[in-house]
Amino acid sequence: MSDRQFGLVLALPAIISLVLVVGIPGIQTLIYSFQRVPLSDDPATFVGTDNYGKVLGDESFVESLVVTLQYTAGYVLLATVLGLLFALLLDQPLRGRGIARALLIIPWATPVIIAGVMWKWLIDPQVGGLNAVLFEIGVIEDYKPFLADREWALVFTILAAAWHQASFSALLFLASLQTLPNEIVEAARVDGATAWQRFRGVVFPWIRPMLLVVVVINVIYGVLQFDTVWVMTQGGPGDATTLLPILLYRQLFIFSDIGAGSALAVMLGVVAVLVSSIALILLGRDDPLAA
Amino acid sequence: MASRTVSRPVLRKRAVTALLYAALVLFAVWVLFPFWFLVNSSFMTPAEAVAVPPHWIPEEPTLGNYSAILAGQVAPGGAQVGLRVLTALGESLAVGILTVVANLALGGTAAYSMSRYKYRGSRLSYFAVLFARLVPPIAIVAAFFVALRDLGLINSRYGLVVVYISFTLPITILVLKNYFDGLPRELDEAALVDGASRLQALWYVIRPIARPGFIAAACLVFLESWGEFFYALTLTNQLTIPPVLAGFRGFFQFNWTTLAAATVLAVVPPVLLALVFQRYVVRGLAQGVAK
Amino acid sequence: MGLGLSLPAAAALLAACSGEDPEATRRTLRFVGWDFLPDTIQTHLDTWAAVSGGTVELEVLPVTGYPAAIQTRFRGGDRPDLFYNFTYLLGQFLENGWNRTLNDLPGVEERIDALYPGARSRFVTADGQITSLPYFSAVFMNHYNAAMVEQAGFSGPPQTLQEYYDQCAKIKADGISDAPYESSWLNERIEEYLMATLLGEGITPFDDAAQPVFADDPRSVDVLEWWRAMYQDGLTSPTILTDDNPELIGGMTQGTFAFYAGHDYWLKIFNDVGGPAAADLRMAPMPGAGQTLLAGEVVQMGPDLEGTALNDAWDLLKFYTGADNDGNFTVPLTWVEAAALAVPYPSFFEDPAIQAAYPDYYDLGVITSEYDRAGTPAARALSWYQGFQVKVGERVNDMLAGDATPAETVANMADDAVELAAG
């Protein structure tokens, strides 16, 4: 068997699995997006791009797209930067590092849907603790009803989800940092490089491939975010936190329009690809996946 | 004190250390501040949990929420907990472990192949893996339901494992490929020169060295499956812990304190697992360096 | 129905003629409910099984996500025999053939006739199809803090929307509460508040042809003017647009808010949780002399029942949603005891066991008089109405944010209804 064949055989079980569990339902979604799909046993009918027209023609789509992009930007930034900082910190030989790494797991072991419920409680102006703390340390002069405000509602739905996700990012960065040979860092240190220089010159290039992976994953999670926001605001106040997945939920389970819902799902995927690409270009590499 | 002079580099080092510990404290606040309110509420009666202003520690602490969950009693808020939380924790554990095993077997080989071998479509399959994560669960759950129903796997842990592969396998492959890319190719080449087969090189040389990567991927996959809500909601009858937790958010009772206690219990197993596996990560690294 | 013989009776007769054992069509029923007192549900199913000789299996899903979960099941061809459902899903289920109508079942007419007249349209469509029977019901009530109202110098709770506004303004001006009025104006619940307020003012929201005639009534604009003023003048909880169960319970029992408009079972939750203000909380009819909005959810029958299984399912459905064969409200009694949930039958409130089960702080005289004038627009059970609920949420939010006037909002909502009804 040639190397090529051997490589293919090794990858084949995973590829077949993904085709079965994602490829087929994904293609079905794509087909549905060009069809009118009755919920009864009647056959679906081809309607061209009507579903896309319907979704794009709805004014709430554009508003929701803007909110989704804002949400994703905040979420990716926060979850990635905090994750990187946590990983760098927990990679230092500090006392209590073991406990700190266990702490890292807590936000992430809290199911996202519960993280949403918890944060909503935390920021409530009456029963929540955040206002009390901010008031005590003098950051605010009055208890703030955060979810009453459109911008703050978006900020806190981002925070709640990023609280969970930063730990995920951190663990990926930690895994990458642990493969960084100590000698390289030491050599830089001996050469008199400052901490920042060592980070720029040695550590960052090493974890950069992982950074790209983390950013892509976070973009996808950001664009597809649903549970946290749903339990915190149901998309409110007004449509301040009505992300595209919430519109998708409405199309599929309230308007029961499988065709339009599928079209929206496809566009959600397109948005995720575009945002990922932009993020990767911003990170200075247009083709991150080149082996 | 004044007589003792401290050199500038030592001072500098102490300052850096102090800063790092300060950062560690901030990190702990980020994790524990929101979580504290959950732990706090879990030891409260419903009346105390809604006190205004909130209590920092329970004034009349109760174990009622925990005893309800652990002994199958009726919770202080009136919820009939039975042993459902414990059963669901067991199922979540089983689903998590099975998902991890499937992921490491399928994803480990695929990632290694994508890292080391070039074959027709190897780049394409890497892209495909990434795109696989883009399909919104809400859009494809109906397809999963039909498939699992035909297979008799509704409300089954095995059914959930199959579905969970759809969103965990892409992550496993991304992470492990990234990890393998960081391992020197000379390792495999040396093994091949020594007469090992390609499979032997993978199993006896790469697998032990890549253990930190495997552990990291296992952690990621386990926790992703641990907290997953939507599929567990739609494809099972509250089989795993997230839908059981969501069940405490009802219309007719106030079960926040029970939800808090159940969530605390739900966070314990992953944190314990992470603590156990941390030792292996370190040992795996040491072995890698020894070779 | 005009048929001398009901379907199950006919099936039994057929079975008897062919010499077939009626047990042949008997099977284990599947019952899907949501996560409220699952052990009690199981006990009820066991009780029924012991009496009837049938068998039934319970499947429990969380309330959070139940609509998505139950719809996914039906779309995937999985059709349980009996299931809880939300009223707003009734139209869609009927349209898709996901539930069996009950018209041909023996004794169903008696059940429907025993309902409060205003409750009928929940369970019977405009063209006479019986879709469901009650899991529970509730009436929309005004919960208030009697001490706060008294302190502000009022002799009792408000009787009109104007009084409601005035009392809130006075309570705020006197510094008794910064946020006198609380409700749960989450996007998908706004429609319920709209209907409750329209009905309270005596406005007919939809006519018999489900046309949005509220738009023709100038008082609809007044209702929205009131709504906007309450919000924009700062008389509501600042987070009223996202407040949910825990926030509003704490706010009422701790004395942060003076009023909470919502279903009548909340008074029991407030009292069960307790707090410094819990003892001051009372319940009064909603302001306005019109109708009271009837709320509640239902139990439905799946479409795949026949023969003895159908008989069993019907027997269990009757047992579960009203009086049993001995005339006792066995199942509803447990929901009263646990959470003050009712079923909308006058005979239910006349039952001494039920009366004894209600907490002392419930004035059943007030509740039954509200049931006497309770109703719900028949349009709410139509399949397009779910979409209308979303639209109402958007429209009212736009108005509260100052992007639309009350008059525009009324007109827009009417357009939405017409457009959605047209498909």
Side-chain angles (χ1 to χ4, degrees), chain C residues 147-341:
Chain C
M148 286 181 165
V149 169
E150 194 182 324
Q151 198 189 336
F154 298 103
S155 57
Q159 308 287 321
T160 65
L161 288 182
Q162 185 59 46
E163 281 180 32
Y164 211 162
Y165 180 92
D166 294 342
Q167 289 203 2
C168 287
K170 181 78 172 14
I171 287 170
K172 178 152 177 156
D174 289 359
I176 299 166
S177 164
D178 283 343
Y181 180 88
E182 168 69 322
S183 282
S184 184
W185 292 349
L186 276 165
N187 280 338
E188 278 159 32
R189 290 194 206 152
I190 282 180
E191 178 271 342
E192 191 174 10
Y193 283 90
L194 176 69
M195 287 304 134
T197 322
L198 290 179
L199 289 175
E201 291 299 291
I203 300 163
T204 305
F206 296 91
D207 66 10
D208 292 343
Q211 288 298 306
V213 290
F214 66 84
D216 306 331
D217 193 325
R219 291 174 301 168
S220 296
V221 178
D222 299 341
V223 164
L224 290 185
E225 294 275 10
W226 170 83
W227 196 329
R228 186 175 67 166
M230 290 289 285
Y231 183 77
Q232 291 190 344
D233 297 350
L235 302 181
T236 66
S237 158
T239 47
I240 194 167
L241 297 176
T242 51
D243 277 349
D244 209 342
N245 182 333
E247 296 87 15
L248 71 89
I249 291 172
M252 287 305 284
T253 59
Q254 296 285 320
T256 309
F257 310 127
F259 296 101
Y260 169 68
H263 304 154
D264 65 290
Y265 51 76
W266 282 93
L267 191 61
K268 176 158 166 54
I269 307 180
F270 296 148
N271 276 275
D272 286 354
V273 170
D280 295 328
L281 299 179
R282 307 275 184 280
M283 164 157 65
M286 290 288 286
Q291 258 192 326
T292 304
L293 181 69
L294 183 85
E297 312 303 351
V298 300
V299 187
Q300 292 197 282
M301 203 182 249
D304 302 325
L305 287 159
E306 52 188 11
T308 314
L310 176 62
N311 286 336
D312 280 349
W314 175 229
D315 195 45
L316 175 54
L317 181 62
K318 283 190 294 183
F319 170 71
Y320 204 84
T321 60
D324 60 21
N325 293 334
D326 302 328
N328 298 319
F329 284 92
T330 309
V331 176
L333 176 66
T334 56
W335 309 143
V336 179
E337 287 169 343
L341 304 179

Side-chain angles (χ1 to χ4, degrees), chain C residues 85-101:
Chain C
N85 209 350
F86 289 98
T87 336
Y88 68 83
L89 289 171
L90 283 174
Q92 199 211 314
F93 271 62
L94 186 62
E95 195 171 287
N96 297 334
W98 289 347
N99 67 289
R100 186 191 193 286
T101 52

Side-chain angles (χ1 to χ4, degrees), chain A residues 1 3-4 7 11 21-22 28 95 101 108 121 128-129 133 163 172 178-179 209-210 221 272-273 287 289, chain B residues 21 30 37 49 54 56 113 118-119 123 127 131-134 144 171 175 178-179 198 220 223-224 278 281 285:
Chain A
M1 201 182 336
D3 272 0
R4 279 169 174 255
V21 295
V22 196
Q28 191 184 43
R95 266 173 196 230
R101 285 191 181 172
W108 192 23
W121 186 266
V133 170
W163 181 75
L172 282 176
Q178 283 175 348
T179 60
M210 187 57 94
Y221 280 34
V273 171
D287 185 9
L289 302 173
Chain B
Y21 279 103
W30 161 263
F37 278 86
W56 295 104
S113 150
K118 293 280 161 287
Y119 48 87
R123 284 282 301 284
F127 273 104
F131 283 117
R133 191 59 192 80
L134 292 172
F144 279 132
I171 296 174
V175 170
N178 188 281
Y179 196 87
R198 287 171 295 201
L220 286 164
L223 281 156
E224 288 296 284
Q278 240 176 54
V281 176
L285 259 186

Side-chain angles (χ1 to χ4, degrees), chain C residues 307-394:
Chain C
T308 314
L310 176 62
N311 286 336
D312 280 349
W314 175 229
D315 195 45
L316 175 54
L317 181 62
K318 283 190 294 183
F319 170 71
Y320 204 84
T321 60
D324 60 21
N325 293 334
D326 302 328
N328 298 319
F329 284 92
T330 309
V331 176
L333 176 66
T334 56
W335 309 143
V336 179
E337 287 169 343
L341 304 179
V343 280
Y345 300 105
S347 54
F348 167 83
F349 288 105
E350 287 155 11
D351 187 316
I354 297 294
Q355 289 171 356
Y358 266 99
D360 297 340
Y361 46 83
Y362 270 78
D363 183 341
L364 288 186
V366 172
I367 295 201
T368 48
S369 72
E370 289 307 294
Y371 268 95
D372 282 334
R373 63 175 191 134
T376 183
R380 295 184 96 208
L382 297 174
S383 62
W384 55 267
Y385 200 83
Q386 287 190 79
F388 182 65
Q389 288 181 320
V390 172
K391 288 289 180 192
V392 171
E394 289 174 6

Side-chain angles (χ1 to χ4, degrees), chain A residues 39 60 113 120-121 124-127 145 147-148 230 232-238 249-250 252-256 258, chain C residues 64 67-68 71-72 75 92 96 98 186-188 238-239 241-244 246-247 256-257 386-387 390 394 397 420:
Chain A
L39 290 170
S60 57
I113 185 162
K120 184 174 189 185
W121 186 266
D124 185 80
Q126 274 97 44
V127 294
L147 287 184
W230 184 255
M232 285 180 81
T233 65
Q234 267 192 22
Y249 177 86
R250 287 186 186 152
L252 290 173
F253 290 114
I254 294 177
F255 295 103
S256 297
I258 311 273
Chain C
T64 305
Q71 289 185 72
T72 302
R75 282 176 197 175
Q92 199 211 314
N96 297 334
W98 289 347
L186 276 165
N187 280 338
E188 278 159 32
T239 47
L241 297 176
T242 51
D243 277 349
D244 209 342
E247 296 87 15
T256 309
F257 310 127
Q386 287 190 79
V390 172
E394 289 174 6
N397 267 298
L420 285 163

